[in-house]
Structures are given as C-alpha cells and as structure tokens.
Amino acid sequence: MKRDIFSDEHELFRSQFKRFAQAEIVPKIVGWDEKGMSDRASWKRMGEEGFLGANAPEKYGGAGADFLYDAIVMEELSALRAHGLMMSLHSDICMPYITDFGTEAQRAKYLPGAIAGTTILGIAMTEPGTGSDLAAVQTSAIKDGDSYVLNGSKTFISNGQIGDLFIVVAKHDPRADPPHRGISLFLVEATTPGFVRGRKLDKLGLRGQDTSELFFQDCRVPADALLGGVEGRGFKQLMTNLQQERLCIAVASIASCRRALDDTLEYVKGRRAFGQPIGGFQHIQFRLAELATEVEVGQAFTDKLLAAHVRKEQIVSEVSMGKWWTTDLQKRLTSECLQLHGGYGFMREYPISTDYADAAVQSIYAGTNEIMKRIIARNLGLDLC
Ligand SMILES: Cc1cc2nc3c(=O)[nH]c(=O)nc-3n(C[C@H](O)[C@H](O)[C@H](O)COP(=O)(O)OP(=O)(O)OC[C@H]3O[C@@H](n4cnc5c(N)ncnc54)[C@H](O)[C@@H]3O)c2cc1C
C-alpha cells in the first residue's frame, strides 16, 4: 500500500540516502558488528552528505526540514540492519535536547559539530541501580564555585566508546523532595578529566553498537555545562523529549519487521519439503498472511503517529501505544520467521538469526514496554483507582 505521508521530495531524499548507504554503509556493517562499534569516518560522511542534520536548524548547519526526513534515514538503516550507526540516537534523541533546551551559547558550541558528524552524541540516564525509575538516579553534580563536580556510574550507554559529548542525567540536589526536582542535565565532553569510559558491554544483539559503562570521578565541568542554564529542569526535559525517542523505536521496529518478513517470504518460496516449496503449505501461508497484515496495521498506525508528531501534537500516550505494540510485533515476528527458516534460522549466516537477537532489546530501552503501558493507563485515568 502506498504510504501517503511522504512527498516527492521525501522520496527523492530516500533515493539519495539509499545510494549513499549502498556505497558507503553496506560495506562497513560486518566490520562494525565484529568490532562492536561504528567508525568516526562514517559519521563524518553522514554529516557531510546532510544525513545527520536534516531536521536540525539551518542556523547551525542543518536543513531545517521536517522529522520525516530523519525517519527515512532510520527506516533505511534498519532495513540494511546497519544498527552500528546510531543515527537516530544522535540526531533525533540527543540533538533535540541541545536544540530545544540549550542556551544560545550551548547550541552554537555543539550543534555545528553534531550536524557535521564530528561531535558524536550520547545520553547517559541509566545507572547500575536504576533504569525505569529515573528519579532515583544517584549520580551527583554538586555546585562548587563556578563549576559542577560529577560523581557516579552509568551503564548501558549507547555510543559509549565513540561518543564525544554526553547529556548526563545527574542530581544537583540529591536531597530534593520529590526527588525528580533535584535532577538536571549536563553537557559533558568526553575529554573532561574524571570522565572515564568503562567496559564495552558484551550483548545478545545489536552487536555493532558500543553499549558501555561510563564513570564520573570528580569530573569537574564549568557551570555553563548545565543544559539550559537553570537547575531542576532535567526531569521535565527528559519527559518532553521521550515522545520522539519512542517514536524513533516504533519507526525502526516496523522497518525491521518488513525486512525480516520479506526475507522470510523469499526463503519459503525457495525451500522445498515433501516435494514442494514450504510456502505452499497452508499453515505457513496463513502465518505469513497474518504477519503481513500486522505489519501493514503497524505501519499505518506509525505513519499516523509520524504525521501527528510533525504537526507537533502532544501524543505521548499514542506514541507509547506505538512503541510497545510495534516492538512486541517485532519480537513475535522475528521468532516466527526464524521458525520458518528451520535449522538455518539458527545459523548466524542467515540474517533472521540476528534479527531475532536484535529484536529482544526493543521492548526494553527507551522506556520498557511495561512503563509504556503505565503511561497509557495513567492517561486512561487508571492511576486514580
Ligand atoms: C542495548 C541497550 C542500549 C541502551 N542505551 C541506553 C542509552 O544510550 N542511554 C541510557 O541512559 N540507557 C540506555 N539503555 C538502558 C535502558 O534504557 C534501560 O535498560 C531501561 O530503561 C530499563 O531499565 P533497567 O534495565 O534498569 O530495568 P529495570 O528498571 O530494573 O526494570 C526491570 C523490569 O521491571 C519492570 N518494571 C520496572 N518498573 C516497573 C513498574 N513500575 N511497573 C511494571 N514493571 C516495571 C521493567 O519493565 C522490566 O521488565 C540501554 C539498554 C540497552 C539494553
């Protein structure tokens, strides 16, 4: 079915990105997966070609275009299984914190490098002791003269090894009541003394991503590293921007589902058993027909979310619905498609095996699917029960 949210200009941009990706991304994917991280040169090339700042303000080198351009890059990277290059984390999750909440000096200092792909971004929220319960973070950022001194540990941080600048969630007031009022966000450069990169973590899937530990050991940053320059706004800033982060996951999930389904359709047409292609068995036809239906339904809802997001509507609850539903579908679909590959599905040389492993995390990060359902339930008025 033709998707109606994209204009001819969007489709032209998609073709340009596909050409670029075939020439410059595809040859790198296996290497990223083996090494466990992407490479700086690829980020720079993405920046040079305008694929990191499509949605960023023109004033700092972006194209000032709508979010659909970034969604196109996300979809195409997902379809290629180029998970090592976390463009959406950089451009659509981290960059907006600086664009939306940064001071003019912070925007001027960091956005041009981020858009050019020379300043790679990450966000450090999660800690060994807390993930879903963000208000419980323990990392502190205590004011000392005209600096803040950060102490604490973060874990599971994407771009942890390659990143140059991290948005760090910390408590400027560890005794604040309620605790979320004590949270601020800080822009911490990776070259700051006391910023220490820990292990690159060994993961089940997304093997091309450098998910890492980070440590802050008396890490002194200037007072103007406080995002937006006002203490205590961190929690609100996080809650505001999580809508886009979760929409990114839904967009990537549906694109990944489509790729896994297409590969499986090809497989069942070629694989023979009992004298016929296995795709001729009615059970397999029905399962694939059902999955194809779910992908179309998921795509239609995700496109509706995208259109509403571009119109700047507040759709926190609906995006939460999209995030849990699409990622849940991705997990079921990749499991079923692996099954349809038989033993070959379990072999690493068949991409469905990595699709299955990569899908597992989609219901966990950017807010677990249980947290998504809590948000929806709250919006249904069920918190009062
Ligand atoms: C590959 C990967 C990349 C990541 N990248 C980043 C990153 O770049 N930056 C970053 O800051 N973090 C990142 N994370 C961390 C991720 O956001 C957290 O893992 C996630 O928020 C869950 O937190 P947790 O692991 O502490 O689980 P917990 O919060 O301990 O949750 C454990 C289980 O309890 C459930 N649960 C918790 N509270 C409730 C509740 N109130 N009601 C019902 N169920 C509940 C959860 O849904 C989950 O099933 C990444 C994680 C992974 C695996």
Side-chain angles (χ1 to χ4, degrees), residues 11-329:
E11 292 305 345
L12 190 65
F13 178 81
R14 188 188 293 277
S15 310
Q16 284 164 354
F17 183 71
K18 275 181 159 176
R19 270 198 303 280
F20 167 80
Q22 279 303 327
E24 302 200 32
I25 302 290
V26 170
K28 301 264 183 94
I29 297 172
V30 172
W32 292 342
D33 288 351
E34 281 168 6
K35 200 171 163 212
M37 63 190 290
S38 59
D39 64 89
R40 299 192 68 83
S42 299
W43 282 94
K44 194 155 173 283
R45 285 292 299 128
M46 287 278 289
E48 283 166 359
E49 295 294 324
F51 296 131
L52 294 178
N55 185 36
E58 287 171 275
K59 182 174 176 190
Y60 308 103
D66 64 49
F67 179 72
L68 295 180
Y69 287 88
D70 282 0
I72 287 169
V73 179
M74 271 174 242
E75 287 180 351
E76 295 305 325
L77 286 173
S78 299
L80 292 172
R81 303 182 170 95
H83 305 301
L85 196 81
M86 295 201 70
M87 169 269 169
S88 66
L89 171 76
H90 173 89
S91 299
D92 301 304
I93 297 171
C94 296
M95 223 190 278
Y97 282 96
I98 306 174
T99 313
D100 299 347
F101 309 123
T103 61
E104 182 47 41
Q106 288 167 339
R107 289 193 204 118
K109 185 171 181 189
Y110 294 121
L111 287 177
I115 292 164
T118 51
T119 304
I120 301 171
L121 307 177
I123 182 161
M125 300 180 268
T126 308
E127 301 186 353
T130 192
S132 302
D133 185 8
L134 259 181
V137 293
Q138 296 292 307
T139 298
S140 59
I142 305 302
K143 189 97 189 267
D144 181 31
D146 56 3
S147 320
Y148 286 92
V149 181
L150 276 74
N151 278 290
S153 315
K154 298 287 179 182
T155 194
F156 306 150
I157 307 307
S158 309
N159 282 346
Q161 300 296 315
I162 202 170
D164 301 297
L165 179 72
F166 291 86
I167 297 152
V168 179
V169 180
K171 291 246 173 87
H172 66 275
D173 179 4
R175 284 196 291 273
D177 185 19
H180 71 264
R181 292 229 177 104
I183 291 182
S184 295
L185 307 187
F186 294 86
L187 296 168
V188 181
E189 297 176 16
T191 50
T192 314
F195 173 95
V196 179
R197 298 186 207 266
R199 286 178 303 153
K200 175 154 62 67
L201 300 163
D202 191 13
K203 305 192 295 299
L204 169 68
L206 298 185
R207 305 220 22 115
Q209 287 181 15
D210 53 339
T211 315
S212 303
E213 299 167 325
L214 296 179
F215 301 102
F216 300 89
Q217 298 171 347
D218 288 328
C219 177
R220 186 176 286 273
V221 295
D224 60 14
L226 172 67
L227 184 72
V230 182
E231 289 179 349
R233 292 191 176 165
F235 200 74
K236 176 106 191 292
Q237 291 164 343
L238 288 164
M239 293 306 119
T240 306
N241 278 22
L242 282 171
Q243 172 171 308
Q244 181 155 304
E245 175 168 355
R246 289 162 184 165
L247 181 54
C248 292
I249 305 287
V251 168
S253 252
I254 284 291
S256 296
C257 284
R258 206 175 272 288
R259 177 65 198 254
L261 183 65
D262 286 349
D263 285 4
T264 306
L265 287 169
E266 274 307 299
Y267 184 81
V268 301
K269 286 174 193 165
R271 177 71 177 172
R272 296 180 71 83
F274 301 97
Q276 66 168 90
I278 59 170
F281 295 123
Q282 195 180 51
H283 165 77
I284 290 179
Q285 290 180 350
F286 282 10
R287 282 311 297 130
L288 287 169
E290 286 165 8
L291 291 171
T293 306
E294 287 189 273
V295 171
E296 289 304 327
V297 170
Q299 186 75 75
F301 187 55
T302 305
D303 284 356
K304 199 165 160 50
L305 295 175
L306 277 168
H309 185 67
V310 168
R311 291 194 301 269
K312 304 208 181 307
E313 289 177 24
Q314 286 301 307
I315 45 168
V316 172
S317 192
E318 291 82 355
V319 165
S320 304
M321 292 173 186
K323 195 270 177 182
W324 86 252
W325 195 89
T326 56
T327 57
D328 202 61
L329 171 64

